[in-house]
Amino acid sequence: SDQSTRPSVLEARSMEAVAKYIKQNDVKRIVLMVGAGISTSAGIPDFRSPDTGLYANLAFLDLEEPEDVFDIEFFRENPKPFYALAHELYPGKFRPTIAHSFIKLLYDKGMLLKHFTQNIDCLERQAGVPGEMIVEAHGSFASQRCIECKTPYPDEEMHQMVEKGEVPRCGCGGYVKPDIVFFGEALPSSFFDNRSLPAAADLCIVMGTSLSVQPFASLPSLVSEGVPRVLINMQRVGGIGSRPDDVLLLGDCDAGVRKFAKAMGWEQELEALWGET
Ligand code: CNA
């Protein structure tokens, strides 16, 4: 299999070899690409995990297609299912996972070039990663506006409406939507502005994503050949493993980052950092 291809820059396809590579090459331009799987242990369901994922549990929203809840045309007709879900997922109810603290640790060590996230839960920020280090490729709940006239809507009122499970409306009558990217909408300019960074990375870490939503899913392919890519995920995704310097840590994200930290000698530091959040 391709797993037997001889690595070019690593001694072996192992976390220990990655740790050695990091130390010997003074790695400090790490690019991360993450998704909902880094937040599931915080209690936020992902989309696509069988049984536990949102798509398997959307019956209560009474939808024909689970994707409709994030579809802009559907929202314009009926925003209620989205707000029922927003009521469940609204930021402020969840604590960052140790995988989020791992990202903060990389930042503290001056090793983080950029963190690309598909998540809308703001848990990276909550773990202490500065906003300018994060590309929220699918937006977030941090701001909101009218879908018709685009007028911003106040945070405090938004908070109250979501708590009550009501749909906020603009003065013009249009529905208000958080600035999260729905199917059928463009990604924020920050995604395109930072798209050249994966090619400048000296290490890539992909965590907790099925890599099934484009254009985000193509980011790992932009990493240069000869730069190791580490996948920390329940299963193999996005063809990672096909390059000679790809390393797979299959299993849950929290165990994966602990394994990473252990190989670097950062175990206690990571646990302490997480303990403080
Ligand atoms: P997804 O398609 O649901 O995939 C999640 C991936 O993570 C799958 O491959 C799972 O096997 C894997 N996974 C789940 N739990 C773990 C775990 N504990 N350890 C390791 N791997 C795990 O989600 P994606 O993020 O790939 O899909 C992109 C969508 C999902 C984005 O548009 C997000 O906005 C959206 N989403 C975000 C959140 C959030 O912000 N927390 C929650 C649900 C969905």
Side-chain angles (χ1 to χ4, degrees):
S1 82
D2 47 21
Q3 276 288 298
S4 65
T5 314
R6 211 181 140 75
S8 52
V9 300
L10 298 175
E11 281 182 1
R13 285 177 179 251
S14 68
M15 192 53 237
E16 290 64 37
V18 172
K20 200 166 174 183
Y21 165 87
I22 291 172
K23 288 172 185 162
Q24 284 180 347
N25 294 280
D26 192 20
V27 162
K28 45 170 80 92
R29 295 194 314 276
I30 300 178
V31 167
L32 280 107
M33 299 152 189
V34 308
I38 69 165
S39 296
T40 51
S41 75
I44 307 175
D46 65 2
F47 277 176
R48 295 176 185 82
S49 282
D51 305 331
T52 57
L54 281 172
Y55 286 171
N57 290 284
L58 280 171
F60 81 101
L61 297 179
D62 202 19
L63 296 166
E64 276 177 31
E65 299 288 335
E67 283 85 355
D68 282 350
V69 73
F70 296 104
D71 185 284
I72 190 63
E73 292 313 321
F74 186 94
F75 181 90
R76 192 166 266 122
E77 296 296 317
N78 179 12
K80 282 188 181 150
F82 171 76
Y83 275 99
L85 193 61
H87 180 74
E88 304 291 317
L89 299 185
Y90 207 60
K93 297 180 178 173
F94 304 96
R95 179 183 172 223
T97 69
I98 197 163
H100 293 97
S101 293
F102 176 75
I103 302 157
K104 170 70 157 73
L105 184 63
L106 293 177
Y107 170 73
D108 287 349
K109 292 189 175 293
M111 296 167 76
L112 183 62
L113 180 60
K114 205 59 97 177
H115 176 68
F116 289 87
T117 185
Q118 298 166 92
N119 295 345
I120 53 177
D121 56 31
C122 300
L123 285 183
E124 294 96 340
R125 289 170 190 261
Q126 224 177 294
V129 182
E132 71 265 21
M133 299 305 294
I134 307 172
V135 175
E136 287 169 334
H138 294 170
S140 83
F141 276 104
S143 57
Q144 54 281 320
R145 67 198 67 245
C146 172
I147 60 167
E148 307 300 346
C149 74
K150 312 292 177 199
T151 304
Y153 187 84
D155 294 345
E156 188 51 38
E157 283 168 47
M158 181 69 178
H159 195 87
Q160 287 168 6
M161 294 299 273
V162 174
E163 281 299 303
K164 285 188 282 187
E166 289 174 19
V167 179
R169 284 190 111 134
C170 177
C172 83
Y175 293 128
V176 170
K177 182 181 84 57
D179 293 333
I180 63 180
V181 180
F182 276 30
F183 296 117
E185 290 189 305
L187 273 63
S189 57
S190 62
F191 177 80
F192 300 99
D193 296 345
N194 288 288
R195 234 186 151 189
S196 62
L197 292 179
D202 48 17
L203 183 72
C204 167
I205 302 172
V206 178
M207 278 200 289
T209 172
S210 63
L211 289 179
S212 53
V213 181
Q214 290 292 2
F216 193 97
S218 65
L219 288 177
S221 69
L222 303 178
V223 174
S224 304
E225 296 278 345
V227 168
R229 301 184 303 180
V230 179
L231 175 70
I232 305 176
N233 205 57
M234 286 300 188
Q235 77 263 61
R236 196 174 152 181
V237 292
I240 301 181
S242 61
R243 292 188 186 175
D245 297 297
D246 289 347
V247 172
L248 307 181
L249 296 183
L250 299 185
D252 78 82
C253 292
D254 295 345
V257 300
R258 283 185 162 113
K259 194 170 178 199
F260 199 121
K262 187 173 180 207
M264 292 299 296
W266 299 339
E267 240 180 337
Q268 285 166 4
E269 230 175 315
L270 177 62
E271 297 290 342
L273 190 59
W274 187 47
E276 290 161 15
T277 61

